[in-house]
Amino acid sequence: MTTPASRTYALGVLHGDGIGPEIVPAAVLVADAAAAAIGIPAIRWRELPLGFKAIEEFNEATPTSTLDALAETDGWLLGPHDSAGYPEPFRSQLNPSGTIRKHFDLYSNVRPAKSFHGGNAVVADTDLVIVRENTEGFYADRNTYAGTGEFMPTADVAIAMGIITRRGCERIAHAAFELASRRRKRVTIVHKANVLKLTTGLFRDVCREVAQSYPEIEVDDYHIDAMTVHLVRRANEFDVLVTENMFGDILSDLTGELAGSLGIAPSLNASHDRAMAQAAHGSAPDIAGQDRANPIAMILSTAMLFDWLGARHDDSGLAGAAALIERSVEDTVAQGICTGDMGGNAGCREFSEAVAATIKQP
Ligand code: ATP
């Protein structure tokens, strides 16, 4: 299989904490195998410090030098961070992924949940995507230019501020409708407009306005609480869900597990000109360093980055590499090779080597 790619790509690699140093190299191994199989001339990987190691070396969890270096890349892989485990003052600061998303205005967080044949899905045949607004909403540390929207006027009173803007809603709604137009052509708006009438009401209303530009897309909407119930029973009936920041974060843990495991839930954070691959799950400190982590989420996040880069640079080679990675992960799981969270007994390294070997098969 050879689909010539037009150029080489410089991609940042941030291992992060916990299982990050296991799953990120696994994703690089698989990405390199796919690039070689497709005939992409070269991917130049650049490792950059972040998290615990960066605190030790630079006294910053997200060093300025890392942000500057990322700006020079075509995209990057972000491993998970264990920011809840950082010493103060780092624990109280905006965490690394929040810092990077804010710095590069990565407003769209696309989180697919797709079950595998041979995987242990709670709801079989789930194939949906959560499109999560990533820069404002009810995550108070994301929605201010300086400082955070969370504060304590007295030791016994804590206040958090939610922000929803028309601009924020419009751009995430367009991202959702455009995605749905390439899929099964249905968008479900998730909100809580019966209680948070002004904020999530604005979110719902702007999404409905944007829907007018996409007459071919079927649109419905649910309250966030009702949505969880519908997903548990019939996640396989939904296509694209669009929602605000915190609702999207919570719902995507649920949908990842419904599709088989949080360990298979990938994500891409993107603006119109930058993208970051990041597994939807956290740093899983309970299994870190034991070769038990499922690398599928990180591997498929990398495939999403390849697909995004392929579309942005009109490079069929990268799009082909993305499809090859997805197919090879599916084939590997179908052969019964998977990690413990999916009911198998492969380690992280063994699984990723099996995917790379599947890619290399003629
Ligand atoms: P965060 O707030 O950073 O998203 P979290 O508190 O939601 O983190 P996770 O680190 O995502 O927690 O872990 C939740 C559970 O899922 C843990 O039991 C963890 O071991 C498991 N888990 C997460 N990722 C994986 C993975 N890739 N492979 C196997 N198990 C995982």
Side-chain angles (χ1 to χ4, degrees), residues 7-338:
R7 50 172 285 193
T8 62
Y9 293 88
L11 298 182
V13 182
L14 305 127
H15 286 172
D17 307 315
I19 58 173
E22 298 163 66
I23 61 171
V24 175
V28 170
L29 175 86
V30 169
D32 273 338
I38 293 285
I40 294 170
I43 293 180
R44 286 188 287 112
W45 300 103
R46 178 160 180 208
E47 280 185 28
L48 295 163
L50 182 106
F52 272 115
K53 281 200 171 154
I55 291 173
E56 278 167 24
E57 200 180 334
F58 296 91
N59 206 34
E60 286 178 293
T62 319
T64 310
S65 58
T66 291
L67 293 173
D68 291 345
L70 289 178
E72 302 300 315
T73 65
D74 292 297
W76 58 93
L77 277 55
L78 175 69
H81 48 72
D82 183 16
S83 36
Y86 294 166
E88 291 293 5
F90 311 102
R91 190 185 318 153
S92 299
Q93 295 167 351
L94 181 60
N95 68 38
S97 62
T99 302
I100 296 173
R101 290 172 189 176
K102 211 165 166 173
H103 184 80
F104 291 106
D105 194 28
L106 303 175
Y107 65 87
S108 162
N109 187 199
V110 179
R111 294 188 155 186
K114 188 174 177 190
S115 59
F116 288 90
H117 294 295
N120 53 349
V122 177
V123 182
D125 302 319
T126 294
D127 181 7
L128 61 81
V129 184
I130 292 179
V131 178
R132 165 194 176 197
E133 203 294 324
N134 223 4
T135 60
E136 51 181 39
F138 293 96
Y139 271 172
D141 61 349
R142 310 296 149 85
N143 61 24
T144 48
Y145 169 69
T148 121
E150 199 179 32
F151 45 102
M152 282 184 97
T154 77
D156 300 317
V157 177
I159 301 172
M161 181 173 69
I163 293 185
I164 303 278
T165 66
R166 172 171 289 278
R167 173 176 175 265
C169 299
E170 275 175 357
R171 62 184 186 170
I172 199 65
H174 279 292
F177 281 95
E178 276 160 27
L179 178 64
S181 64
R182 300 191 298 274
R183 290 178 45 95
R184 301 196 306 276
K185 300 193 170 30
R186 178 178 174 199
V187 169
T188 301
I189 307 162
V190 185
H191 58 85
K192 188 64 184 168
N194 55 338
V195 176
L196 296 165
K197 294 188 172 72
L198 300 181
T199 48
T200 72
L202 180 63
F203 185 90
R204 178 200 57 195
D205 294 345
V206 173
C207 286
R208 283 181 179 162
E209 284 169 34
V210 169
Q212 306 297 315
S213 307
Y214 301 85
E216 75 283 12
I217 309 279
E218 182 194 340
V219 184
D220 57 2
D221 65 272
Y222 288 95
H223 296 142
I224 176 72
D225 41 356
M227 191 74 235
T228 60
V229 176
H230 289 290
L231 284 170
V232 168
R233 291 280 171 204
R234 52 187 188 93
N236 49 12
E237 292 178 25
F238 292 92
D239 182 14
V240 173
L241 277 57
V242 63
T243 192
E244 70 83 37
N245 201 340
M246 186 170 72
F247 293 168
D249 197 19
I250 297 169
L251 269 195
S252 58
D253 266 26
L254 171 67
T255 54
E257 199 64 26
L258 291 175
S261 166
L262 192 47
I264 65 169
S267 91
L268 190 75
N269 300 266
S271 66
H272 64 281
D273 62 354
R274 294 192 187 277
M276 166 170 92
Q278 179 186 20
H281 58 72
S283 63
D286 53 332
I287 57 166
Q290 301 169 34
D291 195 33
R292 286 170 58 201
N294 188 341
I296 289 183
M298 197 67 235
I299 292 171
L300 293 182
S301 302
T302 306
M304 290 176 77
L305 176 62
F306 277 17
D307 197 51
W308 184 91
L309 283 169
R312 175 166 163 71
H313 298 287
D314 196 19
D315 185 337
S316 61
L318 268 187
L324 179 59
I325 292 171
E326 272 179 46
R327 214 167 45 242
S328 303
V329 168
E330 284 168 12
D331 289 351
T332 305
V333 174
Q335 289 165 40
I337 304 171
C338 54

